[in-house]
């Protein structure tokens, strides 16, 4: 197998007649930590859903791990945008993490010891081992986010997709969050999308800009002109980008 | 006929109905499909009417109609570009209208039509009980086999879909189970009040536990208590059973809700 995990080639997606993604080209390699930024409604979630095989592009080709996105799902961990479950939902942290194995295990099957072992490991990885029996609605935004990452990790993915992961996490918790991702990237490629330029921190090593079109060239550098083109208005790089540099490794 | 003989079938029916509504009601409450469940139960009236018209066991007609309307509403609300509550409201009324039309077209008087609308547990037949037994078995077996899937799609459909769970098909299976439960409950509280037995025991149980399994067990138990108390009370006071059962359940829910709420406030006060 090649080092290329995701290959998106000339992909267009339309909702009705409206194009949401225009001629997207993207390649994610093993070991990549790619941040995709762009305004709300710019097609970020759509792009992730294309990679997950939940949306069929109207034009173009997508392959994940040299096969179709659908077949590759078993190797892709997904952390959806903050999910709106009811706070009183009767499930524990443990129940939720095991759900990550549900699709893999298959209909009519019970969870096995292997599933439970992986769930335990995943909780350790995100430093939430002590929270197993806690009711899911009783967690803070940051804790919840870590549990959802654990739920994605139980598949032992080669690729981790995160949709607006910092939306519900306060700034202080973000450092911790990125440290977890930094550890994870030894074992998997990570793609993170966010509308908040500042949220994509120094840990990311490649940045792309998405607003229907994708501006991307394999590096962390992005010119103010490109940002402007993506956001459709001048973006104040200094105001957004620099304060978060405070959170550099320590 | 002695008291025990009169009460034997109704008590068995109450217990069997409690299994169905405790287990499926739990999903109805946590997955928030109360309104669609109300739609399914009312639409099943079309089947009652059809049963009268064709001269077959009306409950059988209700089973067919509720299953068809469950699948119909499930597919329409997911795929059509209609707001979910609008689609449910329309199918709800169409089902009722079909039933009324069939009853109108049936020559002669429709005996115990009211009992299907408002329930009449005192007159459940041996056939009703056998049918409820079969429906309970179907529900228990399906929930046993699909427990982890139903938990996943109840909690987070988006993630389920992305991780390869056939979310839509499972949702339709769950709605079919709601349909089956509705039919099992028709004889007990009637089409109009089925929704109360699907929600009250589960909503009461949720206040006391954070585990889905325990919530199911507790709501089955509570449902037994509500239906048996209601049954006894309606016998003593000579009130309509369906309505009495619902009122007993509703009252107990309000009381437990009040107690839990009070305790929560007290705890807050202490922690301050």
């Amino acid at each position: 197998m090649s080092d290329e995990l995701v290959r998106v080639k000339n992909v267009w997606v339309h909702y009705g007649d409206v194009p949401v993604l225009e001629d997207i080209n993207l390649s994610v390699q093993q070991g990549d930590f790619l941040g995709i930024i762009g305004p709300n409604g710019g097609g970020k979630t759509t792009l992730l859903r294309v990679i997950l095989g939940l949306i069929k592009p109207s034009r173009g080709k997508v392959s994940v791990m040299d096969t179709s996105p659908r077949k590759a799902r078993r190797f892709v961990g997904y952390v959806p945008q903050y999910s709106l479950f009811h706070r009183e939902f009767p499930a524990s942290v443990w129940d939720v993490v095991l759900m990550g194995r549900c699709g893999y295990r298959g209909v009519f099957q019970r969870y096995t010891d292997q599933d439970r072992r992986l769930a335990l490991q995943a909780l350790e990885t995100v430093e939430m081992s002590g929270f197993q029996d806690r009711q899911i609605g009783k967690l803070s935004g940051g804790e919840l986010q870590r549990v959802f990452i654990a739920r994605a990790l139980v598949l032992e993915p080669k690729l981790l997709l995160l949709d607006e992961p910092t939306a519900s996490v306060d700034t202080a918790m973000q450092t911790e969050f990125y440290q977890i991702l930094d550890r994870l990237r030894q074992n998997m490629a990570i793609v993170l999308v966010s509308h908040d330029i500042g949220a994509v921190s120094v840990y990311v090593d490649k940045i792309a800009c998405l607003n229907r079109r994708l501006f991307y060239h394999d590096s962390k550098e992005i010119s103010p002109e490109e940002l402007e083109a993506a956001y459709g208005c001048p973006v104040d790089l200094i105001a957004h980008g620099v304060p978060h540099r405070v959170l550099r490794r320590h | 006929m002695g008291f025990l003989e009169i009460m034997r079938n109704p008590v068995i029916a109450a217990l069997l109905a409690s299994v169905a509504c405790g287990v499926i009601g739990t999903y109805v409450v946590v997955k928030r499909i109360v309104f669609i469940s109300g739609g399914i139960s009312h639409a099943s009236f079309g089947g009652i009417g059809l049963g009268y018209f064709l001269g077959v066991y009306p409950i059988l007609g209700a089973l067919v109609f509720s299953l068809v309307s469950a699948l119909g509403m499930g597919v329409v609300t997911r795929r059509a570009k209609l707001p979910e509550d609008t689609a449910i409201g329309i199918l709800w009324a169409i089902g009722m209208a079909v039933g009324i039309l069939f009853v109108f077209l049936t020559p002669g008087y429709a005996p115990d039509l009211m009992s299907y609308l408002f329930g009449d547990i005192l007159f459940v037949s041996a056939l009703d009980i056998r049918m409820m037994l079969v429906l309970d078995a179907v529900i228990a077996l399906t929930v046993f086999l699909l427990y982890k899937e139903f938990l996943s799609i109840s909690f987070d459909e988006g993630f389920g879909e992305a991780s390869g769970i056939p979310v839509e098909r499972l949702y339709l299976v769950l709605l079919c189970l709601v349909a089956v439960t509705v039919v099992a409950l028709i004889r007990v509280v009637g089409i109009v009040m089925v929704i109360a037995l699907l929600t009250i025991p589960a909503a009461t149980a949720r206040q006391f536990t954070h585990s889905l399994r325990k919530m199911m067990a507790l709501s089955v138990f509570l449902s037994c208590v509500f239906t048996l108390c209601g049954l006894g009370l309606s016998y003593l006071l000579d009130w309509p059973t369906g309505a009495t059962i619902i009122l007993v359940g509703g009252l107990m829910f309000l009381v437990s809700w009040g107690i839990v709420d009070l305790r929560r406030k007290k705890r807050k006060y202490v922690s301050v």
Side-chain angles (χ1 to χ4, degrees):
Chain A
M1 202 190 66
S2 67
D3 276 354
E4 192 170 47
L5 290 176
V6 180
R7 185 187 188 82
V8 177
K9 233 182 147 206
N10 306 110
V11 161
W12 292 67
V13 172
H14 293 81
Y15 286 154
D17 294 333
V18 187
V20 199
L21 294 178
E22 286 179 16
D23 199 24
I24 304 291
N25 285 289
L26 176 70
S27 159
V28 180
Q29 311 284 324
Q30 236 150 36
D32 273 358
F33 188 170
L34 168 69
I36 301 178
I37 53 175
N40 287 324
K44 301 185 300 294
T45 300
T46 305
L47 180 57
L48 290 189
R49 289 174 69 83
V50 165
I51 296 172
L52 283 162
L54 294 171
I55 295 177
K56 252 195 145 60
S58 33
R59 240 193 290 167
K61 220 177 128 34
V62 188
S63 63
V64 179
M65 303 189 66
D66 296 329
T67 174
S68 74
R70 220 163 228 290
K71 282 190 194 136
R73 257 185 210 161
R74 189 245 160 283
F75 300 100
V76 181
Y78 177 47
V79 183
Q81 210 163 347
Y82 194 64
S83 48
L84 295 162
F85 66 93
H86 197 272
R87 286 266 145 185
E88 297 279 302
F89 193 95
S92 62
V93 166
W94 180 247
D95 290 332
V96 172
V97 175
L98 268 180
M99 282 176 202
R101 297 289 290 177
C102 186
Y104 174 78
R105 199 39 77 198
V107 174
F108 300 138
Q109 304 296 313
R110 309 255 126 192
Y111 291 122
T112 64
D113 284 341
Q114 189 201 11
D115 298 329
R116 282 183 278 271
R117 191 170 45 76
L118 286 165
L120 214 57
Q121 253 173 33
L123 277 172
E124 272 164 30
T125 308
V126 298
E127 290 163 6
M128 288 290 288
S129 311
F131 290 78
Q132 274 185 41
D133 299 324
R134 186 78 70 90
Q135 193 229 334
I136 189 73
K138 295 223 166 73
L139 298 181
S140 72
E143 290 165 343
L144 206 53
Q145 196 55 261
R146 281 191 274 164
V147 169
F148 287 154
I149 292 174
R151 179 178 65 170
L153 292 180
V154 290
L155 274 181
E156 301 183 290
K158 300 261 176 268
L159 172 70
L160 185 65
L161 305 177
L162 301 115
D163 195 352
E164 299 281 0
T166 51
S168 59
V169 181
D170 56 57
T171 325
M173 300 296 287
Q174 281 186 21
T175 331
E176 215 172 306
F177 168 76
Y178 277 108
Q179 277 165 353
I180 289 172
L181 292 189
D182 204 44
R183 258 180 303 164
L184 289 179
R185 57 175 303 198
Q186 282 152 20
N187 301 315
M188 65 196 77
I190 299 175
V191 176
L192 178 159
V193 310
S194 178
H195 71 277
D196 181 3
I197 305 174
V200 178
S201 88
V202 284
Y203 291 102
V204 172
D205 57 18
K206 288 175 183 177
I207 284 187
C209 229
L210 179 69
N211 189 7
R212 278 209 330 261
R213 296 176 153 277
L214 188 77
F215 301 84
Y216 175 55
H217 37 210
D218 243 358
S219 77
K220 204 171 171 172
E221 309 283 305
I222 199 148
S223 70
E225 290 76 28
E226 281 170 326
L227 260 186
E228 209 174 307
Y231 274 80
C233 64
V235 174
D236 196 342
L237 265 181
I238 297 169
H240 284 289
V242 177
H244 289 271
R245 294 280 156 76
V246 181
L247 302 180
R248 198 188 288 275
R249 240 172 284 243
H250 45 245
Chain B
M1 237 187 342
F3 175 76
L4 283 179
E5 254 173 278
I6 295 173
M7 278 303 182
R8 202 190 61 159
N9 277 358
V11 167
I12 296 173
L15 296 178
L16 290 176
S18 296
V19 172
C21 73
V23 172
I24 298 304
T26 297
Y27 288 118
V28 169
V29 167
V30 302
K31 192 156 170 48
R32 308 182 121 188
I33 48 175
V34 174
F35 191 48
I36 197 166
S37 304
I40 292 170
S41 73
H42 281 79
S44 74
F45 185 66
I48 301 278
L50 186 66
Y52 274 114
F53 184 70
L54 297 177
V56 299
Y57 182 43
I59 292 283
L60 207 62
L63 182 61
V64 173
F65 249 68
S66 67
L67 284 173
V68 169
S69 63
L71 292 172
M73 286 190 204
V75 170
V76 168
T77 53
R78 300 223 131 207
R79 299 201 187 154
K81 290 188 174 88
L82 258 180
E84 180 170 321
D85 49 350
T86 307
I88 294 168
I90 291 170
L91 288 169
W92 174 315
I94 288 178
M96 293 287 303
V98 167
I100 292 167
L101 205 64
F102 275 129
V103 169
F104 169 76
L105 291 174
T106 308
Y109 175 70
D112 40 72
L113 182 63
M114 292 295 270
S115 81
Y116 290 109
L117 282 173
F118 303 111
D120 205 346
I121 194 173
L122 289 172
F123 291 96
V124 289
S125 63
L127 176 64
D128 291 329
I129 287 186
R130 270 205 296 276
M131 183 228 27
M132 291 170 82
L133 203 59
V134 172
L135 298 183
D136 270 1
V138 169
I139 291 166
L141 184 69
T142 315
V143 169
F144 176 75
L145 288 174
L146 295 175
Y147 182 82
K148 76 179 195 312
E149 280 77 16
F150 284 159
L151 181 63
S152 289
I153 66 163
S154 299
F155 181 71
D156 187 350
E157 279 198 2
F159 177 82
E161 207 186 359
S163 61
I165 301 174
V167 170
E168 191 183 75
R169 260 178 287 165
L170 286 164
Y171 177 63
L172 293 178
V173 172
L174 186 58
L175 288 186
C176 285
L177 289 184
V178 171
V180 165
T181 307
V182 162
V183 174
L185 295 179
I186 285 180
R187 292 305 269 165
V188 179
V189 287
I191 284 171
V192 176
M193 290 178 284
V194 157
I195 200 62
L197 271 195
L198 278 174
T199 48
I200 294 174
T204 313
R206 178 157 77 175
Q207 299 172 319
F208 300 102
T209 175
H210 290 310
S211 140
L212 193 75
R213 255 178 251 268
K214 285 183 193 152
M215 185 172 157
M216 280 179 186
L218 187 55
S219 50
V220 169
F221 172 74
L222 288 171
S223 171
C224 288
V225 173
F226 297 161
T227 46
L228 292 179
C229 286
L231 188 60
L233 202 61
S234 78
Y235 184 83
L236 287 176
L237 301 172
D238 203 17
W239 284 0
T241 27
T244 314
I245 289 170
I246 302 304
L247 286 178
V248 167
L251 196 70
M252 288 198 192
F253 170 76
L254 289 176
V255 168
S256 76
W257 188 61
I259 292 172
V260 170
D261 201 48
L262 257 174
R263 249 200 278 157
R264 211 175 286 147
K265 277 193 189 121
K266 209 165 158 193
R267 214 177 302 144
K268 238 182 236 165
Y269 181 75
V270 170
S271 67
V272 167

